[in-house]
Amino acid sequence: MAIKDYLRQRYFPHMWCPGCGHGIVLNALIRAVQGMGLDKNDIVMTSGIGCSARISGYVDFHTLHTLHGRALAFATGVKLSKPELTLLVPMGDGDALAIGGNHFIHAARRNIDITAIVMNNRIYGMTGGQFSPLSGIGKKATTAPYTTIDSNFDVVKMAVASGATFVARTTAYHVLEAVDLLQKAISHKGFSVVEILSQCPTHYGRKNKEGDASSMMEFQKSKTGKLGSKALEKDPTLIPRGIFVDDKDASEYCSAYDKIIETAMKGR
Amino acid sequence: MARLKLKEHVINREWCKGCGICVHFCPKKVLELDSDEKVVVVRPEDCICCKLCELRCPDLAIEVLSTDDVPAAPASDDDSQDDSNEQ
Ligand SMILES: Cc1ncc(C[n+]2csc(CCOP(=O)(O)OP(=O)(O)O)c2C)c(N)n1
Ligand code: SF4
Ligand code: SF4
Ligand code: SF4
């Protein structure tokens, strides 16, 4: 199937600003799905609220545009009732780890077969550039005109500590790597997290003088390093990219639940 | 791998927002923005069909057709969805 058949073309051009990294995540995601030959009628995408969450309007899968921070709860409901479907949950950093932080850690702890994609632009784009739990210390935002004093979460460490059984990180710049990691995450049976560093030139870029979309993507290129690479070994301040956890043996939630049903129904 | 040969760049001017990402990262400087801030192909003969412009376009506005590609079939448009968003 052609790439464009996975899109709801009637809603294009989309609502994202020129150069927004979220569009590249959309591009990578539909290519990942196409490459795997998945039937779009077997995919359900649930999303919350944010510029990032608007992605669910543009893909021609089954989609649920739900509540801020709660996309994983909706996805859990869908998956438990129809375990044969593939669940994709793209989220902004605020959606996933501020308002939705609790849902995130508990979905990971259960190891339910869902692919969470954190579109991390380190800011609340939709509401005008407030700092998020991913901004980090010393960043400018509308709510931090004199720079932030809050430490940031590390999405990867958070996902690993919470029990996610596939955890990876890449960037919008590294789009081929993003396609590959998304395919591995979707194939994985269990809770997968792929963090994709994305750019918001309109708010984060402008406030923090990182320039236009291309120059923000140059940062994604120069300030990250592949796990196991010489570059990362030489400069440990680089943000690592690659696969951090890939545990194929852990028990998946829907399978475990099926066993409970079997036990409970014994003799009936 | 056989070397791909360029057929054409298919550019959707309605969708292109002139962000310049494809222009900036093209390894062969094949692309430029015109006076309407839309992408145009200025040096097609230099294109190596790496397709990175297509992959990195946030607006899915550029497609690189090469010798072994089949042209994209027309997309389906069979459902409707309330796209209103009160946020
Ligand atoms: C319950 C609730 N609280 C707050 C909001 C306002 N709100 C909308 S989007 C958003 C944050 C979006 O940031 P992020 O999730 O990082 O996504 P981005 O827009 O940067 O892609 C907030 C706080 C809301 N819609 N609902
Ligand atoms: S405000 Fe930022 S995150 Fe939202 S569409 Fe614009 S660039 Fe993207
Ligand atoms: S990357 Fe896409 S939207 Fe940006 S200038 Fe190129 S074709 Fe246009
Ligand atoms: S396919 Fe590669 S070489 Fe050709 S225009 Fe696109 S980025 Fe440039």
Side-chain angles (χ1 to χ4, degrees):
Chain A
M1 199 182 286
I3 279 294
K4 294 226 163 105
D5 292 344
Y6 290 91
L7 296 176
R8 292 174 182 149
Q9 293 191 60
R10 62 191 176 282
Y11 296 131
F12 282 70
H14 58 50
M15 56 77 70
W16 293 313
C17 304
C20 177
H22 293 351
I24 306 180
V25 175
L26 168 64
N27 197 331
L29 182 64
I30 57 169
R31 276 165 214 281
V33 167
Q34 185 207 32
M36 292 170 81
L38 295 177
D39 184 333
K40 59 185 181 178
N41 292 323
D42 293 337
I43 304 174
V44 183
M45 178 184 282
T46 73
S47 73
I49 301 297
C51 295
S52 41
R54 292 292 295 270
I55 191 172
S56 65
Y58 300 120
V59 291
D60 202 21
F61 310 146
H62 300 289
T63 58
L64 291 163
H65 193 182
T66 70
L67 306 176
H68 197 18
R70 271 68 182 155
L72 283 169
F74 285 85
T76 301
V78 174
K79 186 71 188 178
L80 274 171
S81 62
K82 295 230 173 258
E84 67 278 14
L85 298 177
T86 297
L87 266 294
L88 305 178
V89 186
M91 297 173 281
D93 42 298
D95 200 37
L97 287 149
I99 192 167
N102 225 348
H103 290 291
F104 184 84
I105 56 177
H106 291 289
R109 178 175 61 85
R110 292 192 187 110
N111 193 35
I112 185 159
D113 186 19
I114 290 172
T115 299
I117 304 156
V118 182
M119 302 157 77
N120 179 10
N121 58 14
R122 307 178 70 179
I123 204 148
Y124 295 171
M126 174 152 275
T127 43
Q130 296 81 4
F131 67 83
S132 90
L134 273 303
S135 298
I137 293 176
K139 296 293 183 291
K140 283 200 172 168
T142 46
T143 42
Y146 305 108
T147 73
T148 48
I149 54 170
D150 294 40
S151 296
N152 58 294
F153 281 137
D154 179 320
V155 180
V156 163
K157 286 185 184 158
M158 184 93 157
V160 174
S162 307
T165 49
F166 183 93
V167 181
R169 180 192 283 127
T170 182
T171 81
Y173 170 81
H174 299 91
V175 62
L176 288 168
E177 184 179 270
V179 173
D180 177 52
L181 292 177
L182 284 168
Q183 290 184 339
K184 290 190 167 118
I186 295 168
S187 310
H188 177 77
K189 196 166 165 58
F191 193 73
S192 313
V193 177
V194 182
E195 179 188 16
I196 306 183
L197 304 183
S198 179
Q199 70 275 8
C200 169
T202 302
H203 297 298
Y204 188 90
R206 192 163 51 92
K207 285 241 150 39
N208 291 290
K209 303 211 166 20
E210 289 198 3
D212 64 4
S214 302
S215 87
M216 292 181 84
M217 288 171 76
E218 290 283 359
F219 278 112
Q220 293 167 6
K221 180 182 171 188
S222 63
K223 294 207 162 30
T224 65
K226 212 175 163 119
L227 284 177
S229 69
K230 281 249 155 53
L232 192 62
E233 199 180 301
K234 265 199 222 137
D235 183 358
T237 67
L238 296 180
I239 301 167
R241 304 190 326 269
I243 299 172
F244 297 81
V245 172
D246 186 3
D247 176 359
K248 294 187 169 55
D249 303 325
S251 159
E252 192 275 326
Y253 199 66
C254 296
S255 312
Y257 194 67
D258 278 348
K259 285 191 195 130
I260 292 294
I261 293 172
E262 215 174 282
T263 310
M265 298 302 278
K266 262 222 172 100
R268 263 182 253 178
Chain B
M1 201 176 76
R3 238 192 111 189
L4 299 179
K5 251 191 92 170
L6 179 69
K7 270 198 195 133
E8 59 170 329
H9 294 80
V10 182
I11 291 164
N12 186 335
R13 288 178 69 87
E14 301 279 302
W15 292 11
C16 170
K17 296 190 185 128
C19 68
I21 290 173
C22 59
V23 176
H24 182 89
F25 289 108
C26 171
K28 296 288 171 190
K29 304 276 165 254
V30 172
L31 309 166
E32 277 178 20
L33 294 182
D34 67 11
S35 54
D36 293 334
E37 301 267 287
K38 303 281 179 188
V39 73
V40 282
V41 184
V42 288
R43 278 173 284 276
E45 64 282 4
D46 291 348
C47 177
I48 52 168
C49 299
C50 67
K51 305 196 181 185
L52 284 169
C53 52
E54 178 178 329
L55 284 160
R56 290 208 184 97
C57 174
D59 290 87
L60 295 123
I62 182 165
E63 199 181 341
V64 181
L65 296 184
S66 55
T67 35
D68 66 344
D69 291 336
V70 266
S76 67
D77 196 11
D78 55 356
D79 58 76
S80 59
Q81 180 191 284
D82 179 13
D83 200 39
S84 64
N85 276 281
E86 294 288 315
Q87 283 154 17

